[in-house]
Amino acid sequence: MSNLTIFKQAGAVSTASKRELTGLAKTLATTNTMRRIATNTNGTFKRMINGEQIGNAIRGEFNAIIVDALPKVSRTFYAGKYDPNAKATLPDCWSNLGDKPEAAAANKQHSNCGDCPKNVKGSGDNGGRACRFQRRIAILIAGDPTGEVYQFNVPAKSLFGKGNGNVHPFESYVKYLLGNGESPDTVVTNISYDLNAGSMELLFTPMRGISDEEYALVVAAQADPETKKYVQLTVAATDGAKPAPKQEAPKPAPTPAVTRSAEPDEEEEAVFEPVAAPVKRSAKPVEKAPAVTGDLASIVNAWGDDGD
C-alpha cells in the first residue's frame, strides 16, 4: 500500500519469485488483516488496520463505494453502561439479521428479537431501546487503486429518517438510489457528518457513477469471500474486542410503559423488511464516469492531512 521501499539493500529482484509468493501473501493477508474506517465524536474518520490507527484522521467527510451489506439491520445489546475510554468488548447479545441472537452471543436476552424485552421502546436510556440498531457495510475508498475492502459501521442515529433532495440517512439513501435506477455499488458515495445535528450523525450523498476502473475493483471485491466478514458483527473479535466480563444479573427493572401494536411503525418496518443489498455486478454500468487519476501515494496522503 505504499511507494516506499521496504528493502534495506537495493538491487535486482526476480519477478518470477514475486509471482510464486503471491498466493502466500494473499493467504496471510486475508487471515490476519482487518481493515475498518472508524467514526469519532470529534467529527473525524480514522483508518484502522488490526485495531491500530494508520496515518492521521480525515475530518468531516470522505468518498467510498459500498460493495456489500446484509439484507436487514443488525442488533447489538450491551448490559453495561457505555464508557468511551474503556477497551472494546463484544456485545452481550447481538443479531446479524435482527431476528434471533447469534450462537456466539455470551449473554442472550431472548430466543428471538421480536419478543425480546430489550427490543421495546423505553427499555433503554431516554425512552429508547436497550438493544440498538446498527449496520456494518463493506466499502472501498474512492480513488484507492488497491481495491482493499474496509468495514464501516453505520450507527443507529444515522440509519433511519427521511432525506432532503439527494442527502439521506442510510436506509433512506439505499431506497433513494434503487428508486432512481442505481445501487450502492454503482455510485461513489460521500459519507459526511451532519453539521446541524446535536450528536454524531452521518449523511450519505451520491457523488457520481463509478468508472470502468472502479467497476473492476467492485467486481473483484464482491467475488472475494473474505468481503463477507466485513458485514458480520462477529468480526469485532478480530479487531481486538473481547467478551465483556460476566456480571451478576441486575434486579429486574420496572416494566416500561409501552404500547404494543400489531403493525410495526415506520422505524420497525425498516428493520424487519429486507432492504436490497448491493448485488454482484454482471454487466457494466450504463453510465461511465471519467477514469480515476492519481496514484496510491496521493490517496494514502489524503488520510494524513488532518489530525484529531
Side-chain angles (χ1 to χ4, degrees), residues 13 86 92 120 155 185 290:
V13 178
D92 290 80
V120 176
D185 56 351

Side-chain angles (χ1 to χ4, degrees), residues 104-177:
N107 187 12
K108 299 177 179 64
Q109 300 297 298
H110 200 280
S111 60
N112 69 82
C113 298
D115 297 325
C116 181
K118 299 300 189 296
N119 184 31
V120 176
K121 290 180 180 178
S123 60
D125 295 334
N126 301 318
R129 305 173 198 241
C131 187
R132 304 298 302 275
F133 300 109
Q134 74 163 222
R135 267 197 188 276
R136 285 186 173 179
I137 58 178
I139 64 172
L140 302 175
I141 297 176
D144 181 356
T146 66
E148 290 183 336
V149 176
Y150 288 79
Q151 180 191 87
F152 187 78
N153 180 55
V154 184
K157 287 187 177 181
S158 303
L159 284 171
F160 306 112
K162 295 182 180 179
N164 182 13
N166 63 352
V167 183
H168 293 259
F170 186 79
E171 300 300 309
S172 175
Y173 178 65
V174 173
K175 293 176 181 178
Y176 173 78
L177 291 179

Side-chain angles (χ1 to χ4, degrees), residues 76-275:
T76 58
F77 169 74
Y78 288 89
K81 292 288 186 180
Y82 173 69
D83 181 359
N85 298 317
K87 289 186 177 181
T89 60
L90 292 171
D92 290 80
C93 185
W94 74 89
S95 173
N96 281 307
L97 295 177
D99 53 356
K100 61 183 180 180
E102 299 299 321
N107 187 12
K108 299 177 179 64
Q109 300 297 298
H110 200 280
S111 60
N112 69 82
C113 298
D115 297 325
C116 181
K118 299 300 189 296
N119 184 31
V120 176
K121 290 180 180 178
S123 60
D125 295 334
N126 301 318
R129 305 173 198 241
C131 187
R132 304 298 302 275
F133 300 109
Q134 74 163 222
R135 267 197 188 276
R136 285 186 173 179
I137 58 178
I139 64 172
L140 302 175
I141 297 176
D144 181 356
T146 66
E148 290 183 336
V149 176
Y150 288 79
Q151 180 191 87
F152 187 78
N153 180 55
V154 184
K157 287 187 177 181
S158 303
L159 284 171
F160 306 112
K162 295 182 180 179
N164 182 13
N166 63 352
V167 183
H168 293 259
F170 186 79
E171 300 300 309
S172 175
Y173 178 65
V174 173
K175 293 176 181 178
Y176 173 78
L177 291 179
L178 297 177
N180 285 276
E182 294 290 352
S183 172
D185 56 351
T186 64
V187 301
V188 173
T189 297
N190 177 262
I191 303 175
S192 64
Y193 286 97
D194 185 352
L195 300 180
N196 295 315
S199 59
M200 186 183 70
E201 298 177 25
L202 302 174
L203 296 172
F204 299 82
T205 308
M207 299 298 289
R208 58 172 174 80
I210 61 174
S211 66
D212 287 343
E213 290 81 3
E214 291 166 333
Y215 166 77
L217 296 177
V218 170
V219 170
Q222 292 178 339
D224 186 350
E226 288 293 317
T227 298
K228 281 295 178 187
K229 77 179 183 180
Y230 288 87
V231 301
Q232 302 285 335
L233 271 68
T234 51
V235 300
T238 68
D239 200 23
K242 305 295 182 182
K246 197 69 175 180
Q247 300 178 356
E248 292 185 5
K251 294 181 179 180
T255 303
V258 299
T259 302
R260 288 190 177 272
S261 172
E263 297 293 330
D265 58 25
E266 181 178 349
E267 181 181 73
E268 289 168 331
E269 287 178 351
V271 177
F272 295 111
E273 291 184 5
V275 174

